[in-house]
């Protein structure tokens, strides 16, 4: 870093490259700094419930390692079998279980960071509480590799929840499904996962995985809901309450996955929906997020806008967080249409999302592909503050240039 900084050579840090906003692309050339070889789990501290890892550790490898000690690292992006912890820090990654357990930000205590100058700092302390000046740890989390390169991560762990139930509720109306999401919480339930899924997403995933998954014509939306904990009776009681709420919310049927293989089958389908969409056609994936009671309006408005532009979309995502992934499918549209008119459709969807109290990215970040839309969501003053913070960390602007703003 010292050399590149002195020579004004761009450096783009890169983890596993599973990011969805082009954040690890070296758009100005220079050096791509691969972190895959910094892949050791330095320590699992079973007394303090902490893990110290390097950025190139795969998310699921960490989860499986700490599970052997009865501990849990909850953040579970769909790409958890491939993505690195370092990339999860860069984007403050979420995933289905963020609903109950929070996102990456909620588990990071301290970071060793190499600054563009080559100086090495720790941003916090290995403590569960921190109020010793500005929180530089949280400033680095979500900075998409533009402020510093994370070389060690101290994570908080929690006890592993030993039991869970997985429900699949089907609805004739996607609006009813979206409405049921806030009813579930207002009815006193606190699921660990509450995913909204359109049937097309299941069909694409089933084709991609070459497995069977029937989506009857009558079903126009699903909710995939998990309830977890350590007390089977309490979980069963909450499932009954959930069943009552879903039935009152016009659901057609509620299936309970009881065996591990049934649960794994559903999760495999859910987690491959992004890849399946990509495999079926060129697509633009959006990561809109609104207060969850506004999901019905976001979904309905999106479909109206897409129809007006003749665009097919497939929607799924973390409904409990109000975080809806809208995958816009290119299909047979021309490149010209795809690169111009479709951007107008995206702006309309983002304006709708913001008008509902939301913003343009809940977990995938801005990177390269959402940069042009950021001013829709944040003010010029906010962007100026971000620019000044960037200049403070990286006065020569060599680190991951061209991203976010
Ligand atoms: C998911 O929730 C990921 O599946 C990826 O955030 C979403 O690729 C996508 O659209
Ligand atoms: Zn997601």
């Amino acid at each position: 870093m010292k050399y590149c900084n002195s020579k004004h050579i761009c450096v783009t840090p890169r983890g596993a490259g599973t990011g969805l906003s082009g954040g690890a692309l070296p758009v100005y050339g220079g050096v791509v700094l691969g972190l895959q070889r910094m892949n050791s789990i330095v320590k699992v501290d079973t007394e303090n419930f902490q893990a110290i890892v390097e950025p190139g550790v795969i998310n699921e490898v960490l989860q499986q390692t700490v599970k052997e000690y009865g501990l849990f690292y909850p953040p579970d992006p769909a790409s958890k079998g491939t993505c690195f912890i370092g990339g999860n820090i860069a984007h403050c990654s979420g995933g289905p279980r963020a609903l109950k357990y929070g996102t990456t930000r909620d588990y990071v205590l301290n970071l060793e960071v190499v600054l563009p100058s080559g100086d090495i700092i720790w941003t916090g302390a290995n403590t569960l509480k921190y109020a010793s000046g500005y929180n530089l740890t949280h400033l680095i989390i979500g900075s998409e590799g533009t402020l510093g390169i994370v070389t060690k991560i101290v994570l908080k762990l929690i006890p592993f929840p030993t039991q869970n139930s997985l429900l699949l509720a089907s609805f004739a109306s996607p609006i009813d499904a979206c409405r049921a999401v806030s009813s579930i919480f207002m009815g006193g339930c606190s699921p660990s996962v509450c995913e909204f899924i359109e049937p097309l997403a299941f069909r694409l995933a089933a084709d991609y995985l070459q497995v069977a998954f029937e989506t009857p014509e009558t079903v126009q939306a699903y909710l995939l809901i998990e309830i977890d904990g350590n007390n089977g009776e309490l979980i069963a009681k909450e499932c009954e309450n959930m069943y009552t709420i879903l039935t009152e919310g016009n659901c057609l049927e509620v299936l309970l996955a009881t065996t591990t293989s049934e649960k794994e089958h559903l999760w495999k389908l859910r987690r491959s929906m992004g890849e399946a969409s990509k495999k079926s056609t060129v697509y633009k994936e959006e990561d809109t997020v609104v207060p969850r009671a506004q999901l019905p309006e976001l979904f309905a408005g999106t479909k109206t806008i897409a129809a007006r532009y003749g665009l097919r979309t497939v929607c799924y995502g973390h409904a409990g967080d109000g975080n809806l992934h809208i995958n816009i499918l290119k299909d047979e549209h021309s490149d010209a249409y795809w690169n111009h008119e479709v951007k107008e459709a995206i702006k309309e969807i983002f304006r709708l999302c913001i008008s509902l109290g939301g913003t343009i990215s809940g977990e995938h970040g801005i990177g390269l592909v959402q940069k042009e839309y950021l001013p829709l969501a944040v003010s010029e003053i906010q962007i100026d503050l971000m620019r000044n913070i960037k200049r403070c960390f990286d006065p020569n602007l060599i680190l991951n240039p061209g991203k976010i703003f």
Side-chain angles (χ1 to χ4, degrees):
M1 286 311 294
K2 279 198 173 74
Y3 177 78
C4 290
N5 199 35
S6 66
K7 301 290 182 189
H8 290 216
I9 297 170
C10 306
V11 177
T12 302
R14 185 180 176 90
T18 58
L20 291 158
S21 51
L25 299 177
V27 290
Y28 289 105
V31 172
V32 173
L33 197 155
L35 291 148
Q36 65 278 8
R37 286 162 56 189
M38 297 187 86
N39 62 358
S40 71
I41 296 176
V42 179
K43 180 180 180 186
V44 177
D45 177 345
T46 53
E47 286 184 308
N48 286 305
F49 284 15
Q50 292 181 7
I52 301 177
V53 303
E54 291 184 323
V57 170
I58 290 173
N59 176 293
E60 196 164 33
V61 168
L62 174 66
Q63 289 186 339
Q64 286 164 350
T65 302
V66 300
K67 186 178 174 185
E68 286 160 25
Y69 298 92
L71 295 174
F72 187 36
Y73 176 69
D76 62 333
S79 55
K80 67 178 187 175
T82 314
C83 65
F84 292 171
I85 294 293
N88 295 171
I89 304 282
H91 277 296
C92 188
S93 299
R97 291 197 174 94
L99 174 60
K100 176 175 178 183
Y101 292 101
T103 63
T104 300
R105 180 180 307 283
D106 300 303
Y107 293 86
V108 181
L109 302 177
N110 201 358
L111 296 170
E112 181 188 69
V113 177
V114 178
L115 299 174
S117 60
D119 293 318
I120 301 173
I121 62 165
W122 281 96
T123 59
N126 299 2
T127 53
L128 296 177
K129 299 172 84 167
Y130 187 89
S132 310
Y134 292 1
N135 192 319
L136 297 181
T137 303
H138 281 220
L139 185 56
I140 294 292
I141 299 168
S143 61
E144 301 190 30
T146 61
L147 300 182
I149 297 176
V150 174
T151 47
K152 273 198 194 65
I153 303 130
V154 182
L155 295 167
K156 175 179 87 171
L157 305 171
I158 59 175
F160 189 83
T162 53
Q163 302 183 47
N164 66 66
S165 286
L166 191 61
L167 310 176
L168 185 67
S170 55
F171 291 80
S173 147
I175 298 304
D176 282 345
C178 289
R179 282 204 188 104
V181 175
S182 24
S183 310
I184 284 166
F185 291 88
M186 290 159 70
C189 293
S190 50
S192 45
V193 167
C194 183
E195 300 283 296
F196 171 88
I197 303 170
E198 280 196 286
L200 176 57
F202 268 124
R203 289 198 292 274
L204 290 174
D207 289 350
Y208 176 70
L209 296 170
Q210 295 293 296
V211 298
F213 189 89
E214 285 307 304
T215 54
E217 265 307 303
T218 48
V219 177
Q220 289 304 307
Y222 293 91
L223 291 183
L224 180 66
I225 301 166
E226 181 189 78
I227 295 159
D228 75 348
N230 293 304
N231 180 316
E233 275 174 39
L234 286 180
I235 291 174
K237 202 165 171 316
E238 181 145 345
C239 282
E240 279 166 29
N241 184 16
M242 183 76 77
Y243 180 80
T244 307
I245 295 165
L246 291 167
T247 310
E248 285 165 0
N250 303 328
C251 87
L252 297 172
E253 186 180 31
V254 181
L255 298 175
L256 176 66
T258 46
T259 65
T260 304
S261 64
E262 283 172 341
K263 293 175 187 175
E264 283 171 357
H265 177 62
L266 280 171
W267 275 119
K268 204 160 164 28
L269 283 159
R270 170 60 189 87
R271 291 188 177 283
S272 62
M273 286 172 182
E275 288 303 310
S277 304
K278 211 178 292 183
K279 193 85 187 311
S280 73
T281 173
V282 170
Y283 82 138
K284 287 182 192 282
E285 62 79 36
E286 304 307 336
D287 173 34
T288 55
V289 60
V290 292
R292 65 170 157 245
Q294 273 59 57
L295 265 178
E297 291 168 88
L298 175 62
F299 180 83
T302 296
K303 290 296 181 181
T304 304
I305 293 165
R308 201 152 21 84
Y309 284 82
L311 293 168
R312 198 161 63 108
T313 56
V314 56
C315 298
Y316 55 89
H318 322 294
D321 297 321
N323 185 193
L324 187 66
H325 296 315
I326 301 163
N327 287 348
I328 303 170
L329 307 177
K330 184 169 186 277
D331 294 334
E332 308 317 315
H333 287 292
S334 70
D335 289 354
Y337 192 77
W338 187 245
N339 295 318
H340 299 291
E341 282 80 355
V342 172
K343 289 191 174 187
E344 292 312 309
I346 292 171
K347 283 180 192 163
E348 286 194 43
I349 292 170
F350 282 161
R351 286 194 192 99
L352 166 66
C353 181
I354 291 157
S355 73
L356 295 171
T359 186
I360 66 173
S361 174
E363 55 179 18
H364 297 165
I366 300 302
L368 187 65
V369 295
Q370 305 296 9
K371 188 166 79 167
E372 65 185 286
Y373 304 112
L374 187 65
L376 292 175
V378 300
S379 68
E380 194 45 42
I381 293 178
Q382 285 172 285
I383 292 182
D384 264 351
L385 282 170
M386 295 182 198
R387 282 204 182 94
N388 290 332
I389 289 168
K390 166 69 176 173
R391 283 197 187 88
C392 177
F393 276 80
D394 180 17
N396 295 333
L397 305 181
I398 64 160
L399 200 51
N400 210 4
K403 307 294 167 55
I404 306 180
F405 45 78

